[in-house]
Amino acid sequence: MTMTGGKRGPELVLEGVSVYYGRVPALQGISLRVGPGELVALLGANGAGKTTTLRAISGLLRPRSGSIRFGERDLGRLSPAAVVRAGIAHCPEGRQLFPEMTVLENLEMGAFTRDDPEIAADLDRVYALFPRLRERRHQRAGSLSGGEQQMLAIGRALMSRPRLLLFDEPTMGLAPYLVDEVTEAIGQLHEQGIGVLLVEQNVHVAFAVAERGYVLENGRIVLEGPIEALREDERVKRAYVGG
Amino acid sequence: MIELDVLVQALLLGLFNSSVYALVALGLTLIFGVMDIADFAQGALYMLGAYFAFYASQLLGVPYFASLGLAALGVAAIGVLNYLLVYRPLHRVGGATTFIAALGILLILENAAIFGFGADFRLLPSPFGQQKLTLGGAVLTYHQLFTIGMTGVLLGAVWLFLRRTKMGKALRAMSQNRDAAALVGVEMHKVAIITFALAAALAGIAGALVSPTRAFNPTIGGIIILKSFAIVIFGGMGSLKGALVGALIIGLAETLVAAFTAAQYSDLVAFGLMIAILLVRPQGLFGGGGRTA
Ligand SMILES: Nc1ncnc2c1ncn2[C@@H]1O[C@H](COP(=O)(O)OP(=O)(O)OP(=O)(O)O)[C@@H](O)[C@H]1O
Ligand SMILES: [Mg+2]
């Protein structure tokens, strides 16, 4: 059994998407796609517009122009709650947990849009993926270590039974062995058929799991292709010292 | 040498005093936590609660206990209208604008009440008549006891709502992390309506509960909301525990100061304690960490 119930999702397609903060453009007509069950990396330096892209997909920001489609659905018009119901979960930058709630309550909040009898079984699957969360289930989320908080953020995103997961720098600030653990978990989810759009500053993580990638610079896509091609590209090497 | 009777009397009255503050401060801190709005209009809702109870029982002949429910419902509806007609359209503007709008609503409702109900002081007869509980030399009316008991029941109900129901958890989630709540699928608008309805209902019941004990007119909302706001700041903005502990401390301190110094100093207590705590702990007693725990 998998977290998706075996169904692959539709394709996510962004076409010419521009997003502004007031008068300042953050995204200037970007186009990208994530096929069903595909794992795609979105790379770029600080301030390139990666987070903005994910927030536009999940409905927290409205594009000024362009379209965001998930299969038949036009996400540009949907509320964040409707985007979740459409099958997209967003594991945000900086984890963004509910600090005064317990681990269990945070996971239950992840299933907020659901009302089916399989929530308990999905909870067990999250605990199987991250056994430490089960041990800590009655602890306040705010009292967890950084690594545990990241696992909880991923677990909470999984509880909506997404067909597409948006990850925003899931390994940021983690010790190396935890980076490996989180990377492995993302790989496992992908193997179960969940589509993934992975924003990473740590290119080693992106290169380890992604199939394709896009490079964002100042709100524009400057490079795209299979991940092996990006790995060899001089521009990517230059952008990421040691990459 | 402190006289025991005077002390017991002050503590009993203080508990009654605290109950009223707790109901109003709880609503204020909920709205602040969830919406980031300092909703001074809650003072007017408290006042309207008293008038709802007054007219329901005097004009319509509704029994007092049922009029409490009517006050809660009627005032909740007005609280939701405030949100839909004023706060929601202003939310994009944010900050100071919302605060001025809240003061505006307070003044408009106050003046509308003066126009509609007159400025005279009124008092509702208590269903308990003049019955009193006597403890040595200290007395408390049955109505004051009933108010304390009802407050306990209401606080328990709110606690259960926030802890056990899906909507209550959504409300806590939104006050702890608004973006994250949106990302798990909480409908912000729905939670906002519930929050305003709940807070207004609490303020309305508080007004209705007090209407047979303290004479009221349309201007009673101003002072109660100032003090409740001082309590919320004292306890930590957005903290539920802070609002309740703050209400208890300040309610008791007020009656103790009135009993052992002079009544005119008691109004200074709330603001004095607020300033004192801000000097030592700017985030308030329980503020700083998360909200609406
Ligand atoms: N709320 C905001 N208001 C105004 N400008 C913003 C806001 N959020 C981001 N920006 C600007 O938009 C641009 C893109 O920011 P974004 O957060 O999407 O970058 P990022 O690629 O995620 O960067 P990082 O790697 O640092 O997380 C930046 O120039 C940033 O300063
Ligand atoms: Mg970012």
Side-chain angles (χ1 to χ4, degrees), chain A residues 21 25-26 44-53 93 168-169 199 201 216:
Chain A
Y21 291 108
N46 288 106
K50 306 179 297 293
T51 298
T52 304
T53 305
E93 186 171 23
D168 200 342
E169 309 210 25
V199 164
Q201 292 260 20
L216 203 52

Side-chain angles (χ1 to χ4, degrees), chain A residues 55 58 60 79-82 84-85 88 90 92 96-101 105 108-115 156, chain B residues 162-163 166-170 172-174 176-187 191 289-293:
Chain A
R55 288 171 71 86
S58 24
L60 288 174
S79 70
V84 177
R85 272 190 235 100
I88 298 179
H90 182 158
Q96 310 294 338
L97 299 171
F98 304 118
E100 300 298 319
M101 290 184 160
E105 283 176 316
E108 286 170 349
M109 283 310 294
F112 190 76
T113 53
R114 292 174 58 184
D115 193 15
R156 186 181 63 186
Chain B
L162 292 173
R163 290 277 153 179
K166 203 165 173 180
M167 184 50 76
K169 288 181 185 181
R172 285 164 63 210
M174 195 164 149
Q176 289 173 32
N177 192 324
R178 181 176 269 269
D179 269 0
L183 287 181
V184 297
V186 171
E187 314 263 10
V191 175
R291 295 157 157 184
T292 316

Side-chain angles (χ1 to χ4, degrees), chain B residues 27-265:
Chain B
L28 264 185
T29 210
L30 278 173
I31 292 178
F32 186 82
V34 175
M35 303 299 300
D36 253 322
I37 294 174
D39 188 11
F40 272 63
Q42 295 289 313
L45 301 182
Y46 169 85
M47 174 272 293
L48 288 176
Y51 278 99
F52 259 101
F54 181 80
Y55 284 112
S57 49
Q58 299 299 96
L59 284 187
L60 305 176
V62 175
Y64 176 75
F65 299 109
S67 79
L68 289 178
L70 279 181
L73 286 178
V75 173
I78 297 172
V80 171
L81 280 179
N82 285 347
Y83 165 65
L84 292 177
L85 300 179
V86 182
Y87 296 131
R88 185 163 202 241
L90 282 181
H91 215 66
R92 278 167 209 287
V93 194
T97 320
T98 315
F99 179 66
I100 302 298
L103 288 177
I105 299 175
L106 174 66
L107 291 176
I108 289 169
L109 289 177
E110 247 181 46
N111 284 293
I114 292 175
F115 184 75
F117 313 140
D120 296 344
F121 275 93
R122 317 225 183 223
L123 193 62
L124 195 62
S126 166
F128 301 102
Q130 299 299 314
Q131 295 179 84
K132 289 178 174 63
L133 173 85
T134 313
L135 266 179
V139 288
L140 203 64
T141 67
Y142 276 19
H143 195 91
Q144 289 168 325
L145 273 178
F146 169 70
T147 301
I148 296 169
M150 269 299 283
T151 301
V153 170
L154 289 169
L155 296 183
V158 171
W159 190 85
L160 281 179
F161 166 71
L162 292 173
R163 290 277 153 179
R164 298 287 157 82
T165 69
K166 203 165 173 180
M167 184 50 76
K169 288 181 185 181
L171 203 152
R172 285 164 63 210
M174 195 164 149
S175 88
Q176 289 173 32
N177 192 324
R178 181 176 269 269
D179 269 0
L183 287 181
V184 297
V186 171
E187 314 263 10
M188 305 278 120
H189 185 49
K190 215 188 273 176
V191 175
I193 288 178
I194 299 284
T195 305
F196 275 99
L198 176 61
L202 290 171
I205 292 187
L209 278 170
V210 176
S211 61
T213 321
R214 292 180 191 156
F216 60 93
N217 81 349
T219 65
I220 56 166
I223 186 71
I224 188 107
I225 206 62
L226 278 177
K227 285 192 189 172
S228 302
F229 207 68
I231 287 169
V232 168
I233 293 173
F234 177 82
M237 308 271 283
S239 159
L240 294 194
K241 208 199 288 170
L244 301 185
V245 174
L248 192 64
I249 291 177
I250 287 178
L252 286 172
E254 276 190 351
T255 51
L256 287 170
V257 165
F260 292 105
T261 64
Q264 64 265 32
Y265 293 137

Side-chain angles (χ1 to χ4, degrees), chain A residues 10 22 25 28 30 36 39 47 69 86 97 101-102 105 130 132 138 177 182 201 203 205 221-222 238:
Chain A
Q28 307 186 53
I30 70 161
L39 203 165
R69 311 191 62 82
L97 299 171
M101 290 184 160
T102 63
E105 283 176 316
F130 301 118
R132 235 162 320 164
H138 296 305
Y177 77 98
V182 167
Q201 292 260 20
V203 279
V205 171
I221 304 270
V222 294
R238 247 185 293 123

